[in-house]
Amino acid sequence: MANITRLDSADTDFAAKLEALLARETDTGDDVQHLVADILSNVKKRGNAALCEYTERFDGWACTPESMEISRERMQAAWEAVSDLDRESLALAVERIRAYHERQLQQDWDFTDDAGLTLGQRITSLDRVGLYVPGGKAAYPSSVLMNAVPAVVAGVSEIVMVVPTPGGEINELVLAAAYISGVQRGFAVGGAQAVAALAYGTETVPAVDKIVGPGNKFVAAAKRQVFGTCGIDMIAGPSEIVVVADGGHPAWLAADFLSQAEHDEAAQSILISTDAHLLNQVAESIEAHLAVLPRAAIARASVEAHGALIHVHSLQEAAAAVNVIAPEHLELALEDPDALLPSIRHAGAIFLGHFVPEALGDYIAGPNHVLPTNRTARFSSPLGVYDFQKRTSVIRSTRAGVEAIGPAAAHLAHREGLQAHALTLELRLNDK
């Protein structure tokens, strides 16, 4: 039986134990930060030469500026080479992701106030974004769709993809996903060196306005360090799921519990239930699934190091625990999930009922699967169209408008000791 932590909300030290459970080492240490800083500096200074050296060192193939580029034609060839079922599934996912994200489009607006000023906001898209697609332990065509489609909906002019290719092998389904989702250019590079190339540009890789997409700790550290040179979506940590259940099929709940654990040994899975007997049944089902899952070794390491089965004594206690955890994925596997939903304040994505496992959202439901991790759902949101658009303030005034509010502005400028600011207003106010 997997050795999974058990907690009970009735214990006097429950809050402390929960905090300890959540205190995973998900950030990068000084050694990683320093290594990444050196990589970023080298690529910034030496461009393609450094990028190819790091690719050969870390991914094990003889990269050249010519061989690293993945053309739109190469993506199309992959699209045509994959199976009919692959194409149908990818096309359905794109259709649903697009339909959901089209509802996020922001619009220009303005209004005229009592002083006669017209105030407003313009929405414009980013010019060029870089999409980091993780690779290594697994290939993630779904990540391409979730990052590229909202950018297309937002009106981004150019989408550039980077994807690590260990041993020089390119995943055809990733390229097919890039083609159908609207990626224009790709590069077979990954890691911190790929982030550097996107942030600073090289002779071959164009600099972008924003980098989106998850990666390992080196990618996360690189994104953190280049922020300011370009934008980033978020610092993504290991995946997480919390399942709240008051009943249901133990085998289903166990599978849902393991769905994130199979990603990474550092992932976190938590099951919260008012039914102690159900927790025991799920524990047995977890072991049964681990006996047959291909990625069982990864999943077992994850749940034994970071997983938990938590017994609570009311659903309100469950909601309180969820809001402390602020999970990336939250399943409310309840008979009446809508009754508890108003009590949930912090979660990246919420799945309601027994028939919507997290995997449905990962691939094809429509909402984005790029979600805040490591308790950052307390203050951040899923990736969306709004990440690829920016807002610009617009102010229009007549002489009457300046006369109405200008004296107060001039007074505040004087109070701040900024006389030139005040002068710009006073000249207009005194020019009769």
Side-chain angles (χ1 to χ4, degrees):
M1 184 78 71
N3 183 22
I4 303 173
T5 296
R6 297 282 191 121
L7 299 179
D8 192 310
S9 63
D11 292 343
T12 56
D13 58 352
F14 171 69
K17 287 181 176 178
L18 181 59
E19 286 290 337
L21 176 73
L22 301 177
R24 294 178 296 156
E25 291 295 329
T26 57
D27 207 348
T28 52
D30 289 344
D31 55 339
V32 172
Q33 296 289 347
H34 292 153
L35 172 61
V36 166
D38 288 342
I39 293 172
L40 296 177
S41 176
N42 201 9
V43 174
K44 184 177 182 180
K45 291 175 183 175
R46 299 178 54 236
N48 281 345
L51 181 59
C52 284
E53 286 170 12
Y54 286 122
T55 298
E56 185 166 2
R57 174 179 166 188
F58 295 127
D59 282 347
W61 63 280
C63 164
T64 66
E66 294 74 27
S67 63
M68 78 167 77
E69 183 149 9
I70 304 168
S71 67
R72 180 75 178 162
E73 290 73 24
R74 175 69 179 86
M75 298 175 201
Q76 182 176 2
W79 171 255
E80 293 169 352
V82 298
S83 71
D84 290 345
L85 184 56
D86 287 336
R87 284 193 297 272
E88 290 167 6
S89 299
L90 288 172
L92 177 60
V94 167
E95 177 186 341
R96 295 187 59 85
I97 296 165
R98 180 185 295 117
Y100 179 87
H101 287 84
E102 282 174 346
R103 288 165 171 78
Q104 295 180 343
L105 280 166
Q106 304 171 87
Q107 304 296 326
D108 295 354
W109 55 261
D110 62 61
F111 71 97
T112 302
D113 66 15
D114 293 341
L117 277 75
T118 299
L119 310 174
Q121 179 174 276
R122 288 188 63 227
I123 303 297
T124 53
S125 60
L126 304 184
D127 291 332
R128 181 187 290 133
V129 299
L131 162 55
Y132 190 96
V133 180
K137 291 184 179 178
Y140 296 101
S142 60
S143 185
V144 181
L145 306 184
M146 292 292 181
N147 284 273
V149 173
V152 171
V153 171
V156 172
S157 301
E158 185 177 7
I159 303 171
V160 179
M161 177 183 75
V162 294
V163 55
T165 53
E169 294 185 14
I170 301 178
N171 184 277
E172 295 297 305
L173 199 58
V174 165
L175 297 190
Y179 177 75
I180 189 62
S181 61
V183 175
Q184 286 101 337
R185 297 180 70 185
F187 296 92
V189 293
Q193 62 270 22
V195 174
L198 291 173
Y200 306 124
T202 72
E203 302 91 327
T204 304
V205 182
V208 302
D209 300 313
K210 192 168 193 175
I211 300 172
V212 301
N216 62 20
K217 62 183 179 180
F218 299 99
V219 171
K223 286 173 68 178
R224 189 188 299 275
Q225 291 187 33
V226 301
F227 176 66
T229 298
C230 62
I232 62 172
D233 52 350
M234 63 184 75
I235 305 296
S239 192
E240 310 155 357
I241 188 168
V242 170
V243 181
V244 179
D246 59 359
H249 199 299
W252 294 13
L253 297 172
D256 294 359
F257 181 86
L258 291 170
S259 64
Q260 299 310 296
E262 71 173 352
H263 271 299
D264 191 306
E265 294 89 344
Q268 185 161 64
S269 303
I270 297 174
L271 173 63
I272 303 173
S273 181
T274 53
D275 185 341
H277 180 61
L278 179 63
L279 291 175
N280 293 332
Q281 289 179 309
V282 171
E284 293 175 0
S285 292
I286 289 171
E287 190 61 36
H289 290 320
L290 287 174
V292 297
L293 284 172
R295 294 170 67 86
I298 293 171
R300 184 181 294 275
S302 167
V303 300
E304 292 191 342
H306 306 294
L309 303 173
I310 301 177
H311 182 214
V312 294
H313 299 271
S314 72
L315 288 179
Q316 283 307 310
E317 284 189 355
V322 166
N323 287 329
V324 170
I325 299 165
E328 178 187 17
H329 307 97
L330 171 64
E331 290 187 14
L332 297 183
L334 306 169
E335 287 305 308
D336 187 7
D338 292 298
L340 192 62
L341 184 59
S343 299
I344 304 298
R345 293 183 50 78
H346 307 306
I350 304 174
F351 305 80
L352 302 176
H354 293 288
F355 288 91
V356 57
E358 177 278 335
L360 201 65
D362 261 356
Y363 297 106
I364 213 160
N368 212 286
H369 80 193
V370 180
L371 303 167
T373 62
N374 196 29
R375 306 176 80 176
T376 59
R378 293 174 296 114
F379 55 80
S380 57
S381 307
L383 187 75
V385 168
Y386 31 74
D387 288 291
F388 301 102
Q389 294 181 320
K390 51 192 177 62
R391 299 171 296 279
T392 302
S393 300
V394 178
I395 304 170
R396 186 194 309 275
S397 180
T398 61
R399 177 183 293 276
V402 175
E403 290 174 346
I405 65 173
H411 172 74
L412 292 173
H414 280 301
R415 293 290 288 160
E416 291 188 350
L418 299 175
Q419 277 68 38
H421 280 62
L423 184 61
T424 65
L425 294 157
E426 291 165 346
L427 288 172
R428 287 165 172 80
L429 290 167
N430 296 328
D431 181 23
K432 302 292 186 181

